[in-house]
Amino acid sequence: MEALYALTLGVLTAAGVYLLMRARVYPVVMGLTLISYAVNLFLFAMGRLGTGVPAVIGKSTEHGDPLPQALVLTAIVIGFAMTAFVVVLSLRALGELRTDHVDGEEPR
């Protein structure tokens, strides 16, 4: 299970980096989103994944670690706000520059 989880993180990160290197705005936004998903999964995995462990302290001898859950929830909110800002910024650049290349120039 850990190998599948690590492979999934690697694929998400590699796809995100690949999309970040594109010359268009939309793939760059998607690459940032994929990398933020990979980071969220990584933070969640740092809480030692466990099945059947109650999230409430005091119900049993073992409990789920609340810190990674809080970090992931915070990262989801920040990632959503960042994605919305980058989309609005790219739409503004598209309207003013009339191109969707990240450097603002058409390739020759």
XYZ file of all heavy atoms in Angstrom:
805
model
N 0.827 -1.194 0.000
C 0.000 0.000 0.000
C 0.870 1.255 0.000
O 0.543 2.223 -0.667
C -0.927 -0.035 1.211
C -1.873 1.112 1.292
S -3.012 1.049 -0.082
C -4.005 2.431 0.251
N 1.973 1.210 0.758
C 2.853 2.378 0.810
C 3.515 2.628 -0.534
O 3.724 3.778 -0.926
C 3.920 2.221 1.893
C 3.387 2.318 3.309
C 2.874 0.987 3.812
O 3.038 -0.034 3.109
O 2.280 0.959 4.900
N 3.854 1.543 -1.254
C 4.492 1.705 -2.562
C 3.512 2.334 -3.557
O 3.896 3.204 -4.359
C 4.977 0.361 -3.080
N 2.256 1.935 -3.510
C 1.247 2.528 -4.389
C 1.044 4.005 -4.060
O 0.922 4.844 -4.960
C -0.070 1.767 -4.257
C -1.237 2.283 -5.090
C -0.926 2.154 -6.574
C -2.503 1.546 -4.733
N 1.043 4.316 -2.780
C 0.877 5.704 -2.346
C 2.059 6.554 -2.809
O 1.880 7.659 -3.329
C 0.756 5.742 -0.822
C 0.092 6.979 -0.282
C -1.286 7.090 -0.254
C 0.841 8.047 0.192
C -1.903 8.228 0.228
C 0.237 9.185 0.680
C -1.133 9.275 0.697
O -1.746 10.389 1.167
N 3.283 6.023 -2.649
C 4.474 6.744 -3.086
C 4.489 6.909 -4.605
O 4.887 7.961 -5.120
C 5.725 6.017 -2.614
N 4.061 5.877 -5.324
C 3.996 5.958 -6.780
C 2.988 7.016 -7.218
O 3.245 7.792 -8.150
C 3.623 4.594 -7.367
C 3.577 4.510 -8.883
C 4.966 4.683 -9.463
C 2.978 3.186 -9.308
N 1.855 7.078 -6.541
C 0.853 8.089 -6.858
C 1.398 9.497 -6.625
O 1.192 10.394 -7.448
C -0.412 7.867 -6.004
O -0.897 6.552 -6.236
C -1.482 8.880 -6.335
N 2.103 9.689 -5.519
C 2.705 10.995 -5.243
C 3.730 11.350 -6.307
O 3.810 12.496 -6.762
C 3.361 11.002 -3.867
C 2.432 11.043 -2.673
C 3.227 10.968 -1.383
C 1.590 12.290 -2.691
N 4.527 10.381 -6.714
C 5.532 10.627 -7.744
C 4.922 10.987 -9.086
O 5.400 11.890 -9.779
N 3.850 10.288 -9.453
C 3.185 10.573 -10.728
C 2.543 11.961 -10.695
O 2.647 12.727 -11.669
C 2.143 9.477 -11.052
C 1.229 9.893 -12.182
C 2.839 8.178 -11.380
N 1.890 12.303 -9.601
C 1.282 13.634 -9.488
C 2.337 14.739 -9.566
O 2.147 15.753 -10.243
C 0.502 13.756 -8.180
C -0.899 13.177 -8.146
C -1.478 13.267 -6.743
C -1.795 13.889 -9.125
N 3.449 14.537 -8.880
C 4.509 15.540 -8.891
C 5.141 15.653 -10.269
O 5.381 16.763 -10.763
C 5.574 15.204 -7.837
O 4.942 15.085 -6.562
C 6.630 16.276 -7.763
N 5.423 14.520 -10.904
C 6.038 14.547 -12.231
C 5.108 15.199 -13.258
O 5.554 16.004 -14.086
C 6.394 13.131 -12.668
N 3.821 14.874 -13.203
C 2.868 15.492 -14.130
C 2.749 16.990 -13.877
O 2.657 17.786 -14.819
C 1.504 14.828 -14.010
N 2.776 17.380 -12.596
C 2.713 18.801 -12.270
C 3.923 19.569 -12.757
O 3.799 20.669 -13.316
N 5.104 18.997 -12.590
C 6.325 19.657 -13.067
C 6.331 19.733 -14.593
O 6.713 20.752 -15.179
C 7.577 18.926 -12.535
C 8.837 19.421 -13.217
C 7.690 19.114 -11.035
N 5.896 18.659 -15.250
C 5.807 18.675 -16.712
C 4.875 19.781 -17.192
O 5.187 20.516 -18.130
C 5.332 17.310 -17.225
C 5.094 17.277 -18.709
C 6.160 17.207 -19.592
C 3.804 17.330 -19.221
C 5.947 17.191 -20.966
C 3.586 17.308 -20.585
C 4.659 17.240 -21.453
O 4.444 17.224 -22.803
N 3.723 19.903 -16.556
C 2.772 20.936 -16.966
C 3.263 22.336 -16.636
O 2.923 23.298 -17.339
C 1.409 20.684 -16.321
C 0.628 19.500 -16.886
C -0.623 19.252 -16.058
C 0.279 19.733 -18.335
N 4.056 22.484 -15.582
C 4.611 23.800 -15.254
C 5.572 24.297 -16.322
O 5.767 25.500 -16.489
C 5.333 23.755 -13.912
C 4.483 23.890 -12.669
C 5.343 23.753 -11.430
C 3.751 25.205 -12.646
N 6.184 23.377 -17.053
C 7.164 23.767 -18.065
C 6.537 24.054 -19.428
O 7.258 24.333 -20.389
C 8.211 22.669 -18.195
C 9.045 22.531 -16.972
S 10.336 21.363 -17.256
C 11.045 21.287 -15.637
N 5.232 23.996 -19.530
C 4.556 24.316 -20.785
C 4.585 25.827 -20.996
O 4.759 26.600 -20.060
C 3.100 23.845 -20.753
C 2.917 22.390 -20.457
C 3.171 21.441 -21.600
N 4.543 21.556 -22.097
C 5.023 20.905 -23.140
N 4.270 20.133 -23.831
N 6.264 21.052 -23.520
N 4.368 26.256 -22.222
C 4.428 27.683 -22.538
C 3.064 28.354 -22.493
O 2.959 29.534 -22.765
C 5.058 27.885 -23.911
N 2.034 27.609 -22.148
C 0.686 28.170 -22.095
C 0.248 28.347 -20.649
O 0.749 27.689 -19.743
C -0.303 27.250 -22.817
C 0.025 26.963 -24.234
C -0.349 28.121 -25.089
N -0.081 27.818 -26.497
C -0.503 28.573 -27.462
N -1.195 29.638 -27.207
N -0.211 28.269 -28.705
N -0.724 29.200 -20.426
C -1.137 29.539 -19.068
C -1.943 28.416 -18.425
O -1.702 28.058 -17.270
C -1.945 30.861 -19.069
C -2.525 31.143 -17.700
C -1.067 32.001 -19.510
N -2.893 27.828 -19.152
C -3.755 26.816 -18.552
C -2.972 25.589 -18.064
O -3.219 25.131 -16.954
C -4.866 26.413 -19.527
C -5.826 25.423 -18.956
C -6.732 25.799 -17.972
C -5.820 24.103 -19.364
C -7.605 24.893 -17.423
C -6.689 23.182 -18.831
C -7.586 23.590 -17.856
O -8.440 22.672 -17.308
N -2.031 25.042 -18.843
C -1.249 23.924 -18.294
C -0.423 24.304 -17.066
O -0.229 23.480 -16.168
C -0.333 23.521 -19.456
C -1.052 23.941 -20.668
C -1.774 25.204 -20.281
N 0.036 25.539 -17.002
C 0.783 25.973 -15.816
C -0.130 25.979 -14.593
O 0.260 25.528 -13.508
C 1.424 27.359 -16.056
C 1.982 27.936 -14.771
C 2.506 27.262 -17.112
N -1.346 26.458 -14.746
C -2.310 26.455 -13.636
C -2.622 25.027 -13.211
O -2.668 24.702 -12.020
C -3.588 27.224 -14.025
C -4.668 27.062 -12.975
C -3.280 28.690 -14.234
N -2.816 24.133 -14.179
C -3.082 22.728 -13.856
C -1.874 22.075 -13.184
O -2.032 21.249 -12.289
C -3.475 21.963 -15.124
C -4.829 22.346 -15.673
S -6.166 22.216 -14.475
C -6.130 20.483 -14.133
N -0.673 22.431 -13.601
C 0.529 21.902 -12.968
C 0.643 22.335 -11.517
O 0.990 21.540 -10.639
N 0.344 23.606 -11.245
C 0.345 24.081 -9.853
C -0.690 23.349 -9.020
O -0.447 23.003 -7.859
C 0.074 25.581 -9.813
C 1.218 26.503 -10.204
C 0.732 27.941 -10.302
C 2.351 26.386 -9.208
N -1.842 23.086 -9.615
C -2.894 22.376 -8.898
C -2.481 20.941 -8.597
O -2.683 20.451 -7.481
C -4.195 22.402 -9.721
O -4.540 23.756 -10.008
C -5.328 21.746 -8.973
N -1.882 20.252 -9.566
C -1.427 18.879 -9.330
C -0.343 18.808 -8.268
O -0.335 17.899 -7.432
C -0.935 18.255 -10.641
C -1.995 17.822 -11.631
C -1.344 17.265 -12.880
C -2.920 16.808 -11.021
N 0.572 19.769 -8.282
C 1.617 19.776 -7.261
C 1.022 20.054 -5.886
O 1.444 19.454 -4.888
C 2.719 20.785 -7.628
C 3.531 20.232 -8.795
C 3.623 21.084 -6.449
C 4.619 21.133 -9.295
N 0.018 20.926 -5.813
C -0.610 21.175 -4.506
C -1.355 19.933 -4.010
O -1.354 19.649 -2.811
C -1.542 22.384 -4.573
O -2.696 22.088 -5.315
N -1.970 19.162 -4.925
C -2.598 17.905 -4.522
C -1.559 16.920 -4.001
O -1.790 16.229 -3.010
C -3.355 17.268 -5.687
C -4.609 17.972 -6.109
C -5.166 17.722 -7.355
C -5.251 18.889 -5.291
C -6.323 18.362 -7.766
C -6.397 19.525 -5.688
C -6.924 19.256 -6.929
O -8.070 19.885 -7.320
N -0.410 16.849 -4.661
C 0.649 15.945 -4.224
C 1.172 16.343 -2.845
O 1.417 15.483 -1.993
C 1.787 15.925 -5.238
N 1.312 17.631 -2.617
C 1.774 18.095 -1.303
C 0.731 17.783 -0.234
O 1.083 17.371 0.886
C 2.098 19.604 -1.352
C 2.308 20.181 0.034
C 3.328 19.840 -2.204
N -0.544 17.946 -0.550
C -1.593 17.615 0.413
C -1.562 16.135 0.774
O -1.686 15.763 1.951
C -2.965 17.980 -0.134
C -3.197 19.467 -0.173
O -2.483 20.236 0.450
N -4.182 19.874 -0.937
N -1.420 15.274 -0.226
C -1.332 13.843 0.057
C -0.086 13.500 0.863
O -0.114 12.634 1.738
C -1.355 13.051 -1.253
C -2.686 12.991 -1.967
C -2.543 12.302 -3.318
C -3.715 12.272 -1.123
N 1.019 14.179 0.578
C 2.249 13.958 1.332
C 2.071 14.364 2.795
O 2.479 13.632 3.703
C 3.396 14.735 0.693
C 4.689 14.611 1.434
C 5.417 13.439 1.383
C 5.188 15.665 2.178
C 6.616 13.315 2.064
C 6.371 15.558 2.853
C 7.087 14.376 2.794
N 1.471 15.521 3.024
C 1.229 15.964 4.404
C 0.301 15.002 5.137
O 0.500 14.705 6.320
C 0.622 17.366 4.421
C 1.541 18.526 4.097
C 0.749 19.814 4.013
C 2.648 18.639 5.112
N -0.703 14.513 4.437
C -1.631 13.579 5.054
C -0.941 12.268 5.394
O -1.216 11.648 6.423
C -2.821 13.339 4.126
C -3.959 12.648 4.793
C -4.672 13.264 5.793
C -4.320 11.366 4.429
C -5.724 12.641 6.426
C -5.367 10.721 5.044
C -6.071 11.357 6.044
N -0.023 11.827 4.546
C 0.703 10.579 4.798
C 1.669 10.710 5.968
O 2.017 9.708 6.603
C 1.460 10.150 3.553
N 2.106 11.913 6.264
C 3.024 12.103 7.383
C 2.349 11.832 8.722
O 3.016 11.659 9.729
C 3.593 13.523 7.388
C 4.528 13.806 6.237
S 5.958 12.728 6.220
C 5.533 11.510 5.026
N 1.031 11.766 8.740
C 0.290 11.449 9.956
C 0.175 9.956 10.197
O -0.596 9.518 11.041
N 0.946 9.140 9.471
C 0.925 7.677 9.586
C -0.481 7.155 9.354
O -1.307 7.119 10.267
C 1.457 7.228 10.927
C 2.906 7.561 11.090
C 3.457 6.900 12.316
N 4.863 7.237 12.419
C 5.468 7.468 13.560
N 4.804 7.380 14.677
N 6.733 7.757 13.578
N -0.714 6.783 8.126
C -2.035 6.302 7.744
C -2.414 5.085 8.570
O -1.626 4.162 8.739
C -2.046 5.941 6.259
C -1.738 7.073 5.295
C -1.653 6.540 3.881
C -2.785 8.143 5.392
N -3.607 5.089 9.097
C -4.103 3.954 9.873
C -5.573 3.736 9.596
O -6.329 4.685 9.398
N -5.979 2.484 9.579
C -7.387 2.189 9.344
C -8.035 1.736 10.639
O -7.425 1.042 11.452
C -7.534 1.078 8.289
O -6.841 -0.080 8.731
C -6.967 1.520 6.951
N -9.246 2.139 10.852
C -9.984 1.740 12.032
C -9.544 2.450 13.306
O -9.882 2.016 14.408
N -8.789 3.537 13.184
C -8.315 4.280 14.353
C -9.262 5.461 14.570
O -9.492 6.245 13.653
C -6.874 4.786 14.121
C -6.381 5.560 15.320
C -5.945 3.621 13.832
N -9.838 5.590 15.765
C -10.763 6.710 15.995
C -10.034 8.048 15.994
O -8.871 8.139 16.370
C -11.364 6.404 17.362
C -10.389 5.518 18.019
C -9.712 4.739 16.940
N -10.725 9.070 15.547
C -10.136 10.402 15.477
C -10.236 11.160 16.803
O -9.604 12.190 16.973
C -10.810 11.207 14.375
N -11.010 10.653 17.737
C -11.233 11.331 19.007
C -10.275 10.771 20.052
O -10.170 9.553 20.231
C -12.703 11.159 19.467
C -12.937 11.840 20.792
C -13.645 11.683 18.412
N -9.579 11.655 20.735
C -8.639 11.234 21.774
C -9.422 10.762 22.990
O -10.377 11.395 23.423
C -7.698 12.394 22.154
C -6.863 12.796 20.937
C -6.788 12.014 23.311
C -6.005 14.014 21.157
N -9.035 9.637 23.543
C -9.659 9.126 24.741
C -10.582 7.952 24.518
O -10.968 7.292 25.466
N -10.970 7.659 23.301
C -11.858 6.539 23.021
C -11.114 5.204 23.013
O -11.690 4.176 23.274
C -12.569 6.731 21.670
C -13.482 7.912 21.643
C -14.712 7.644 22.458
C -15.661 8.821 22.333
N -16.819 8.688 23.166
N -9.820 5.234 22.672
C -9.003 4.021 22.685
C -7.562 4.414 22.958
O -7.243 5.587 23.144
C -9.122 3.273 21.358
O -8.476 3.987 20.343
N -6.694 3.426 22.980
C -5.283 3.723 23.265
C -4.608 4.408 22.090
O -3.678 5.174 22.277
C -4.522 2.426 23.602
O -4.639 1.516 22.503
C -5.075 1.803 24.857
N -5.060 4.139 20.873
C -4.519 4.791 19.683
C -5.542 5.749 19.117
O -6.743 5.525 19.200
C -4.155 3.750 18.627
C -3.022 2.835 19.019
C -2.681 1.878 17.897
O -3.142 2.092 16.766
O -1.959 0.922 18.163
N -5.064 6.820 18.526
C -5.958 7.783 17.889
C -5.251 8.386 16.683
O -4.034 8.312 16.560
C -6.381 8.886 18.867
C -5.230 9.678 19.395
N -4.477 9.258 20.465
C -4.683 10.841 18.977
C -3.526 10.140 20.700
N -3.629 11.115 19.810
N -6.029 8.971 15.798
C -5.474 9.631 14.625
C -4.820 10.945 15.009
O -5.281 11.660 15.894
N -3.709 11.250 14.343
C -2.995 12.491 14.626
C -3.749 13.656 13.982
O -3.939 13.687 12.768
C -1.577 12.401 14.071
C -0.698 13.553 14.521
O -1.129 14.333 15.400
O 0.421 13.669 13.995
N -4.202 14.639 14.769
C -4.997 15.726 14.193
C -4.167 16.779 13.469
O -4.701 17.529 12.655
C -5.698 16.336 15.405
C -4.806 16.029 16.540
C -4.167 14.708 16.230
N -2.858 16.846 13.710
C -2.044 17.891 13.096
C -1.977 17.768 11.572
O -2.202 18.759 10.871
C -0.642 17.905 13.698
C 0.279 19.000 13.166
C -0.293 20.365 13.481
C 1.663 18.845 13.735
N -1.669 16.593 11.002
C -1.668 16.522 9.533
C -3.043 16.804 8.923
O -3.129 17.389 7.838
C -1.235 15.088 9.230
C -0.537 14.627 10.440
C -1.184 15.351 11.578
N -4.094 16.413 9.607
C -5.432 16.699 9.094
C -5.688 18.203 9.055
O -6.237 18.725 8.078
C -6.472 16.003 9.956
C -6.364 14.494 9.918
C -7.274 13.824 10.935
O -8.192 14.432 11.451
N -7.011 12.560 11.206
N -5.266 18.909 10.094
C -5.432 20.361 10.122
C -4.562 21.035 9.065
O -4.989 21.997 8.410
C -5.085 20.897 11.510
N -3.347 20.533 8.879
C -2.467 21.093 7.854
C -3.046 20.892 6.456
O -2.985 21.789 5.611
C -1.079 20.461 7.945
C -0.214 20.882 9.122
C 1.068 20.063 9.147
C 0.106 22.358 9.056
N -3.598 19.722 6.196
C -4.168 19.448 4.877
C -5.402 20.315 4.638
O -5.580 20.862 3.544
C -4.494 17.951 4.720
C -5.339 17.696 3.498
C -3.216 17.145 4.640
N -6.250 20.464 5.631
C -7.425 21.329 5.465
C -7.016 22.771 5.185
O -7.593 23.448 4.337
C -8.315 21.261 6.700
C -9.135 19.987 6.847
C -9.877 19.993 8.175
C -10.107 19.846 5.706
N -6.003 23.258 5.892
C -5.504 24.605 5.645
C -4.901 24.709 4.259
O -5.113 25.689 3.540
C -4.460 24.978 6.710
O -5.045 24.828 8.001
C -3.994 26.405 6.535
N -4.155 23.693 3.840
C -3.535 23.711 2.517
C -4.578 23.662 1.410
O -4.386 24.252 0.344
C -2.563 22.546 2.385
N -5.675 22.966 1.631
C -6.743 22.920 0.625
C -7.346 24.312 0.434
O -7.556 24.753 -0.707
C -7.822 21.903 1.036
C -7.292 20.478 0.883
C -9.098 22.083 0.211
C -8.191 19.423 1.477
N -7.591 25.014 1.518
C -8.165 26.358 1.431
C -7.194 27.308 0.748
O -7.567 28.079 -0.151
C -8.552 26.869 2.835
C -8.943 28.330 2.795
C -9.674 26.033 3.407
N -5.924 27.258 1.126
C -4.925 28.130 0.517
C -4.731 27.780 -0.956
O -4.597 28.659 -1.806
C -3.600 28.048 1.295
C -3.782 28.678 2.677
C -2.475 28.739 0.549
C -2.617 28.464 3.608
N -4.737 26.485 -1.284
C -4.582 26.068 -2.668
C -5.743 26.516 -3.536
O -5.556 26.920 -4.695
N -6.954 26.453 -3.004
C -8.112 26.922 -3.758
C -8.027 28.423 -4.010
O -8.288 28.892 -5.125
C -9.401 26.595 -3.013
C -10.637 27.062 -3.708
C -11.090 26.417 -4.847
C -11.338 28.164 -3.245
C -12.231 26.850 -5.508
C -12.464 28.609 -3.899
C -12.910 27.947 -5.029
N -7.633 29.176 -2.997
C -7.504 30.627 -3.158
C -6.394 30.961 -4.156
O -6.547 31.866 -4.993
C -7.230 31.286 -1.814
N -5.283 30.229 -4.094
C -4.188 30.467 -5.018
C -4.611 30.146 -6.455
O -4.311 30.896 -7.386
C -2.978 29.613 -4.641
C -1.820 29.812 -5.586
S -0.722 28.432 -5.778
C -1.752 27.072 -6.138
N -5.335 29.046 -6.645
C -5.786 28.672 -7.981
C -6.757 29.714 -8.531
O -6.659 30.100 -9.706
C -6.456 27.290 -7.954
O -5.528 26.341 -7.436
C -6.894 26.866 -9.336
N -7.665 30.191 -7.711
C -8.607 31.227 -8.158
C -7.865 32.507 -8.543
O -8.169 33.134 -9.563
C -9.632 31.512 -7.060
N -6.866 32.888 -7.742
C -6.099 34.095 -8.048
C -5.330 33.946 -9.349
O -5.306 34.856 -10.179
C -5.143 34.412 -6.889
C -4.241 35.572 -7.176
C -4.738 36.857 -7.188
C -2.898 35.371 -7.431
C -3.911 37.931 -7.459
C -2.063 36.430 -7.701
C -2.566 37.721 -7.718
N -4.695 32.791 -9.566
C -3.909 32.583 -10.778
C -4.815 32.539 -12.007
O -4.448 33.051 -13.070
C -3.055 31.302 -10.649
C -2.417 30.925 -11.959
C -1.986 31.489 -9.593
N -6.007 31.961 -11.883
C -6.938 31.943 -13.018
C -7.387 33.362 -13.368
O -7.407 33.748 -14.542
C -8.148 31.037 -12.709
C -9.276 31.251 -13.698
C -7.722 29.589 -12.709
N -7.716 34.174 -12.372
C -8.124 35.556 -12.631
C -6.958 36.350 -13.221
O -7.132 37.127 -14.165
C -8.651 36.214 -11.333
C -8.811 37.702 -11.507
C -9.960 35.586 -10.929
N -5.755 36.131 -12.708
C -4.579 36.814 -13.234
C -4.312 36.419 -14.689
O -3.995 37.266 -15.523
C -3.369 36.483 -12.361
C -2.106 37.291 -12.580
C -2.353 38.739 -12.197
C -0.984 36.712 -11.743
N -4.485 35.138 -15.003
C -4.261 34.692 -16.384
C -5.341 35.220 -17.322
O -5.053 35.558 -18.472
C -4.184 33.171 -16.445
O -5.417 32.606 -16.103
N -6.577 35.297 -16.857
C -7.630 35.876 -17.685
C -7.387 37.358 -17.952
O -7.633 37.854 -19.055
C -8.998 35.667 -17.039
C -9.532 34.237 -17.062
C -10.819 34.142 -16.255
C -9.750 33.773 -18.484
N -6.875 38.050 -16.963
C -6.548 39.467 -17.156
C -5.406 39.633 -18.150
O -5.444 40.495 -19.023
C -6.181 40.079 -15.808
C -5.598 41.462 -15.873
C -6.628 42.506 -15.557
N -6.103 43.823 -15.767
C -5.900 44.699 -14.812
N -6.174 44.383 -13.566
N -5.443 45.887 -15.081
N -4.393 38.775 -18.025
C -3.275 38.831 -18.965
C -3.732 38.475 -20.376
O -3.276 39.077 -21.358
C -2.159 37.895 -18.519
N -4.628 37.504 -20.494
C -5.159 37.133 -21.805
C -5.929 38.294 -22.423
O -5.823 38.558 -23.622
C -6.068 35.906 -21.680
C -6.731 35.410 -22.953
C -5.684 34.908 -23.932
C -7.720 34.317 -22.630
N -6.679 39.013 -21.614
C -7.438 40.149 -22.121
C -6.558 41.308 -22.557
O -6.847 41.977 -23.553
N -5.469 41.555 -21.846
C -4.611 42.686 -22.180
C -3.569 42.354 -23.238
O -3.260 43.185 -24.083
C -3.919 43.199 -20.918
C -4.861 43.904 -19.976
C -4.141 44.522 -18.803
O -2.898 44.539 -18.785
O -4.835 44.993 -17.894
N -3.006 41.158 -23.192
C -1.923 40.805 -24.109
C -2.404 40.094 -25.367
O -1.632 39.945 -26.312
C -0.901 39.928 -23.387
C -0.222 40.549 -22.170
C 0.663 39.530 -21.484
C 0.577 41.773 -22.583
N -3.629 39.603 -25.365
C -4.209 38.864 -26.491
C -3.435 37.585 -26.827
O -3.421 37.138 -27.964
C -4.276 39.745 -27.743
C -5.068 40.999 -27.590
C -6.540 40.692 -27.612
N -7.275 41.956 -27.597
C -8.275 42.186 -26.782
N -8.670 41.264 -25.954
N -8.898 43.332 -26.807
N -2.778 37.005 -25.845
C -2.086 35.728 -26.015
C -2.098 35.000 -24.682
O -2.213 35.627 -23.629
C -0.643 35.913 -26.515
O -0.046 34.637 -26.686
C 0.191 36.725 -25.548
N -1.997 33.680 -24.741
C -1.985 32.911 -23.497
C -0.615 32.307 -23.204
O -0.505 31.403 -22.397
C -3.064 31.830 -23.516
C -2.810 30.778 -24.571
O -2.041 31.054 -25.500
O -3.388 29.690 -24.446
N 0.407 32.815 -23.837
C 1.764 32.361 -23.511
C 2.197 33.001 -22.202
O 1.842 34.142 -21.903
C 2.741 32.751 -24.629
C 2.631 31.862 -25.820
N 3.395 30.748 -25.954
C 1.814 31.914 -26.899
C 3.072 30.144 -27.084
N 2.105 30.837 -27.671
N 2.989 32.279 -21.427
C 3.352 32.773 -20.107
C 4.295 33.950 -20.173
O 4.333 34.776 -19.268
C 3.960 31.650 -19.235
C 2.924 30.608 -18.901
C 5.153 31.002 -19.901
N 5.072 34.093 -21.259
C 5.975 35.233 -21.368
C 5.340 36.398 -22.115
O 5.942 37.453 -22.247
C 7.295 34.828 -22.025
C 7.096 34.243 -23.412
O 5.942 34.130 -23.845
O 8.115 33.909 -24.041
N 4.124 36.224 -22.630
C 3.404 37.296 -23.287
C 3.740 37.470 -24.747
O 3.276 38.395 -25.371
N 4.582 36.609 -25.309
C 4.972 36.721 -26.706
C 4.622 35.446 -27.450
O 4.687 34.361 -26.905
C 6.471 36.972 -26.808
C 6.940 38.253 -26.143
C 8.443 38.389 -26.165
O 9.113 37.511 -26.729
O 8.942 39.379 -25.622
N 4.285 35.605 -28.719
C 4.028 34.436 -29.569
C 5.352 33.809 -29.970
O 6.333 34.526 -30.197
C 3.255 34.848 -30.828
C 1.837 35.248 -30.561
C 0.946 34.072 -30.191
O 1.251 32.942 -30.590
O -0.047 34.302 -29.508
N 5.404 32.470 -30.055
C 6.652 31.842 -30.509
C 6.880 32.102 -31.990
O 5.958 32.287 -32.756
C 6.411 30.356 -30.242
C 4.939 30.206 -30.247
C 4.379 31.493 -29.747
N 8.142 32.132 -32.367
C 8.491 32.412 -33.763
C 8.660 31.185 -34.558
O 8.943 30.152 -34.234
C 9.768 33.241 -33.811
C 9.547 34.591 -33.181
C 10.802 35.433 -33.265
N 10.502 36.710 -32.656
C 11.167 37.196 -31.652
N 12.169 36.555 -31.141
N 10.836 38.341 -31.154
